[in-house]
Amino acid sequence: MATKKEPVKSMAEIAWVPIIVALIGVFGSIGVAWITATRTASEQIKPVVAASIGPQSSGQKLCSAWVKNTYRDSMIVPQQWKIDTCKKFMVAISANLFQVGCVYEDRIAWGDEGGGVPADNCGW
């Protein structure tokens, strides 16, 4: 009775096995890292939103001051700020132009330079 011989596998066929196993491990590790990072980022955003100066749905006040073609400094400010408070901020940072605005969940609305109230006003 003749026995059937198994074909001999070439080194190229055998060499791919550890590479494929390694790639599966790498992609698995990347997937786990991405899921962990996404969850961590979501958890880190929660305290920022909770400690926010005002609700994003009704807008948060922005104050921006700058020197043309040199620098601009913009920040979210407390709801108690008035246009004059933003102007004082401009003077404090040695700027010569200022603008007030509002930031919402999906947009930013700016007023005209010099303290013009934005059309989509959040309390200025």
Side-chain angles (χ1 to χ4, degrees):
M1 211 187 253
T3 59
K4 191 174 181 182
K5 288 188 174 182
E6 290 287 324
V8 176
K9 293 190 179 194
S10 71
M11 289 303 288
E13 291 175 318
I14 295 171
W16 280 105
V17 172
I19 292 171
I20 291 171
V21 170
L23 286 173
I24 291 170
V26 167
F27 285 120
S29 296
I30 290 171
V32 169
W34 181 79
I35 291 168
T36 303
T38 303
R39 185 178 306 130
T40 301
S42 296
E43 292 302 314
Q44 289 174 345
I45 289 171
K46 287 180 184 176
V48 172
V49 171
S52 184
I53 291 172
Q56 292 176 337
S57 58
S58 60
Q60 295 182 13
K61 289 183 175 182
L62 295 173
C63 174
S64 184
W66 70 95
V67 173
K68 195 170 189 168
N69 299 321
T70 306
Y71 69 90
R72 184 175 187 129
D73 191 358
S74 302
M75 62 182 178
I76 296 174
V77 298
Q79 287 300 112
Q80 295 80 7
W81 273 41
K82 305 292 180 212
I83 292 172
D84 192 55
T85 316
C86 187
K87 188 174 184 177
K88 289 176 184 175
F89 168 70
M90 172 195 71
V91 172
I93 65 168
S94 301
N96 57 12
L97 297 165
F98 80 102
Q99 189 175 25
V100 298
C102 301
V103 62
Y104 297 92
E105 292 173 336
D106 59 349
R107 68 195 180 287
I108 295 175
W110 288 107
D112 292 333
E113 291 178 10
V117 175
D120 199 1
N121 192 2
C122 58
W124 284 108

